Amino acid sequence: MLAHQSSAASLTLTTSPALPTLPARPRKQRCRSSSHRERVQVRAATLQDLTLARTEHRTFAQPAAEDFLQHPAQVLDDRQLLRECEPFRSPLKVAVLLSGGVDSSCALHLLKKAGHHVTAFYLQIWFQEDFRNYWDQCPWEDDLDYCQKVCRTAGVDLHTVPLTDHYWDRVVSHSIAEIKAGRTPNPDILCNSRVKFGAFYEYLAKQQDGSFDRIASGHYAKILRADDPDGPVRLALAPDPIKDQTYFLAHLSQNQLSKAMFPLGHLTKGEVRSLAQAAGLPNQARRDSQGICFLGKVKFTEFVEQHLGVWPGCIVEEESGEVIGYHRGFWFHTVGQRRGIPLNGGPWYVTRKDIRTNTVYISRDYYSVEKERSAFTCRGVNWINGPPDMALPVYCKIRHGPTMYQCFASFINDDQTALTVKLDGNDQGLAPGQYAVFYQGEVCLGSGVIQTTGFSPSLSVPSDCKGLGLDTHSAVAC
C-alpha cells in the first residue's frame, strides 16, 4: 500500500526506461549504498502521481491523505491505473502468482490497492533431484526470500506450491522429446498453459476448494472483458512492445484466460519500475530474470547432453555441399543459430538440420535470396475465441518481441486447426517446433506449432559422413 503523509514536501519521480538485458545479480547482496537508501525514501507517491510521471521527468507535490480523498480527478487517475485490476468488482478473492521479481510484486501491490482479498502463491518448479544440478547456486532461495519480504510488507499470506513433478512431466520431458526430434520447442509457452494456468488451477480446485475468483500474475498483457463478468474474454497486446507477453500466453484456452487477471497489462516496464520504487518494494532494484526458468544456472548445452548424450556428425556448407567440420549432435543446434559453431572464418549460421543423417548445414551467406523463409504450415492451432475471419488482416509473431509480420493465412482442407501461412517478410529463424502467434488489431487470436517451412531441400548423406554410425530411422528435414 502506498503511504500518504500529511506534509506537502516536494518529491521528484523519474520514469525509468525499459531496462536492457543485464548479467544476473550476485546472490544475496545485502549491502546497500547510501544513495540507494535515499532513493528508497521516495515512497509516498500516490498512484495518481505515477500516472503523471509518464513524462520523462516530473516534479509534484505530495498531497495529504485527506486531500487525496477529496479530489475527484485524483481518484479517477487511481481508477485508470488500476483498471486491469477490475476495481469496480472489488472485493474479489484473488490468487497471485508471486515469483520474487518486480513485476509480480507490483501486480500484488495494485491488487491490494484495488481492495481485493489477496493470497500469494510461489510455485516451486525446479529440477527433479535425480538430475545433477546446482542447488547451491539455484536462484529459487533468493526468489522465495523476496516473496516472503514482499508479503510481509503487504500483509499477505504466502503459500509455496510444489509443482516440480508436474513441470517435469508437462514441460521438461516434452521439450526434451521435441529437441530429440530436431524441433525447437518453447518451454515458457508450455509453462504458462500447462503449469501456471494449468496444474496450479488444478491445485486451487483441489486444495483451496476452487474459491478464488481470479488468478493474477505479473505478465504484460491485457484481458478484454465484456459487461457480463462470466462472458468470453479476449487477450490483447500490452502498450510496451518490448515487454508484451501475449506471445507466451497465446496457448491458453478461453477457460484459462477467463479466470486470469494481468494487473500490469496497460503499463510499461518503466512505469512498473517507478511504481516499485514509489511503493518501497523490497525487490524494487532487482533485475529481471533471463533464460529458461527451469534451468537455473545449468547451461542449456549441459542439460541437453545429460539427457540426449553426444552423437558426432558432419557440418556441411550449404552452398558447396562440402563437409567443413563436425558437431557433437544436431540437437545442440537450431535454425538461425550463430553461436556455438566450432569453426573459424565466420560468422556462420545454421540454415537447416537433417536428423536422419545427423547433419547440420551452415552458411556465411545466411540472408541471401535463395534462403528466404517466409512460408510455413501450422497444426494444432489454439483459437482463443474460435476461428477468425481470415478475410480481415492477420498478423503473426514467430517469437517474443516487437517484430510482427502481416501474413496471409488459410485453412488446410477446411481444418480450422491447420494453416498455411505466408509472411510479408522473411524470417530466417523459422523452424519446426516454434510457435506462431496470430493477431487482428490488438487482439491475440491464438497460436499454433510450426510443422514445416518453405525451405526444404532434398535430403542426402554427404559421402564424408558415411561410416560415422548415422541412423536412418527418421527422415526429416528441419
Side-chain angles (χ1 to χ4, degrees):
M1 188 71 69
L2 293 178
H4 304 292
Q5 301 177 0
S6 60
S7 65
S10 178
L11 299 175
T12 300
L13 181 65
T14 302
T15 300
S16 305
L19 295 179
T21 300
L22 296 172
R25 182 188 180 193
R27 297 177 69 249
K28 297 187 178 179
Q29 288 187 347
R30 304 302 184 192
C31 297
R32 302 295 176 93
S33 66
S34 59
S35 61
H36 175 80
R37 289 194 294 270
E38 291 171 359
R39 290 196 300 271
V40 171
Q41 300 306 313
V42 187
R43 6 182 116 177
T46 66
L47 295 177
Q48 180 260 353
D49 295 325
L50 292 171
T51 303
L52 292 177
R54 291 189 179 211
T55 55
E56 183 178 355
H57 191 81
R58 175 83 61 160
T59 300
F60 54 87
Q62 176 187 323
E66 61 272 19
D67 291 336
F68 177 75
L69 297 175
Q70 294 172 1
H71 287 77
Q74 292 176 338
V75 175
L76 178 62
D77 285 333
D78 264 19
R79 291 177 179 175
Q80 181 180 0
L81 193 60
L82 295 170
R83 69 187 187 199
E84 298 302 321
C85 297
E86 300 183 65
F88 50 91
R89 293 187 177 132
S90 173
L92 295 173
K93 190 175 180 182
V94 183
V96 181
L97 290 166
L98 198 62
S99 67
V102 173
D103 295 334
S104 60
S105 300
C106 280
L108 183 149
H109 180 82
L110 290 177
L111 289 166
K112 284 280 291 182
K113 183 68 178 177
H116 296 306
H117 301 312
V118 178
T119 305
F121 295 86
Y122 174 76
L123 307 187
Q124 185 177 343
I125 55 175
W126 300 101
F127 280 136
Q128 293 186 34
E129 294 193 36
D130 59 358
F131 177 72
R132 180 186 63 83
N133 62 82
Y134 302 90
W135 284 106
D136 60 328
Q137 301 179 37
C138 190
W140 75 268
E141 291 176 327
D142 277 352
D143 291 342
L144 187 55
D145 182 53
Y146 276 114
C147 288
Q148 292 168 343
K149 290 178 179 178
V150 168
C151 288
R152 280 198 298 268
T153 301
V156 169
D157 290 336
L158 173 66
H159 301 271
T160 299
V161 184
L163 294 180
T164 302
D165 290 339
H166 295 82
Y167 193 82
W168 190 272
D169 294 340
R170 303 184 188 190
V171 178
V172 181
S173 60
H174 173 85
S175 298
I176 293 170
E178 287 289 281
I179 293 169
K180 185 176 181 180
R183 293 187 283 271
T184 305
N186 193 309
D188 294 319
I189 289 179
L190 296 178
C191 179
N192 285 322
S193 62
R194 298 184 178 186
V195 179
K196 292 180 180 178
F197 298 94
F200 179 60
Y201 277 20
E202 297 165 12
Y203 165 85
L204 291 179
K206 184 177 180 180
Q207 302 295 330
Q208 303 287 332
D209 299 323
S211 58
F212 286 94
D213 302 301
R214 295 284 185 267
I215 287 79
S217 70
H219 285 97
Y220 288 83
K222 292 189 294 186
I223 297 288
L224 305 181
R225 297 184 184 275
D227 293 335
D228 179 5
D230 298 320
V233 302
R234 292 179 295 167
L235 178 65
L237 292 164
D240 189 331
I242 303 296
K243 294 298 295 182
D244 171 72
Q245 292 175 308
T246 53
Y247 181 84
F248 296 124
L249 298 166
H251 198 54
L252 269 63
S253 67
Q254 173 66 215
N255 183 57
Q256 289 172 318
L257 282 170
S258 66
K259 300 175 184 177
M261 181 188 289
F262 305 130
L264 309 184
H266 60 307
L267 302 176
T268 66
K269 184 66 180 187
E271 290 165 348
V272 170
R273 285 285 180 185
S274 294
L275 173 61
Q277 184 185 52
L281 295 183
N283 54 1
Q284 61 182 272
R286 197 180 191 200
R287 292 166 178 159
D288 293 341
S289 61
Q290 301 291 332
I292 300 173
C293 50
F294 68 80
L295 291 181
K297 289 197 174 184
V298 178
K299 293 182 179 179
F300 178 75
T301 53
E302 292 180 4
F303 171 78
V304 172
E305 182 176 345
Q306 178 73 19
H307 291 277
L308 298 180
V310 174
W311 185 19
C314 291
I315 298 177
V316 176
E317 185 177 30
E318 187 74 68
E319 291 78 9
S320 67
E322 295 181 1
V323 175
I324 57 176
Y326 299 93
H327 59 78
R328 302 171 62 243
F330 70 82
W331 42 70
F332 293 107
H333 303 278
T334 189
V335 173
Q337 177 182 336
R338 174 179 173 181
R339 297 180 60 187
I341 299 175
L343 294 174
N344 296 323
W348 296 96
Y349 298 86
V350 176
T351 57
R352 60 186 173 106
K353 301 180 293 184
D354 180 350
I355 71 170
R356 178 179 65 89
T357 64
N358 190 29
T359 303
V360 174
Y361 291 84
I362 65 173
S363 174
R364 284 177 294 197
D365 193 17
Y366 187 66
Y367 296 96
S368 61
V369 175
E370 62 270 18
K371 298 186 183 70
E372 289 183 354
R373 289 174 178 263
S374 60
F376 59 89
T377 62
C378 272
R379 293 193 180 275
V381 179
N382 169 57
W383 298 119
I384 296 172
N385 296 90
D389 181 359
M390 291 300 185
L392 299 176
V394 178
Y395 295 83
C396 178
K397 282 188 179 185
I398 304 301
R399 62 189 58 80
H400 168 63
T403 301
M404 185 181 291
Y405 300 97
Q406 187 167 4
C407 66
F408 174 79
S410 59
F411 299 121
I412 299 175
N413 297 327
D414 296 325
D415 182 353
Q416 295 182 327
T417 66
L419 293 174
T420 59
V421 181
K422 179 69 170 67
L423 306 178
D424 69 349
N426 296 308
D427 192 299
Q428 302 293 339
L430 282 179
Q434 287 178 309
Y435 278 81
V437 176
F438 302 97
Y439 301 82
Q440 283 182 338
E442 70 168 339
V443 175
C444 178
L445 303 174
S447 65
V449 179
I450 295 176
Q451 299 294 311
T452 60
T453 66
F455 182 62
S456 55
S458 59
L459 299 174
S460 62
V461 181
S463 58
D464 291 1
C465 286
K466 294 178 180 178
L468 287 179
L470 298 177
D471 188 68
T472 59
H473 65 278
S474 55
V476 178
C478 302

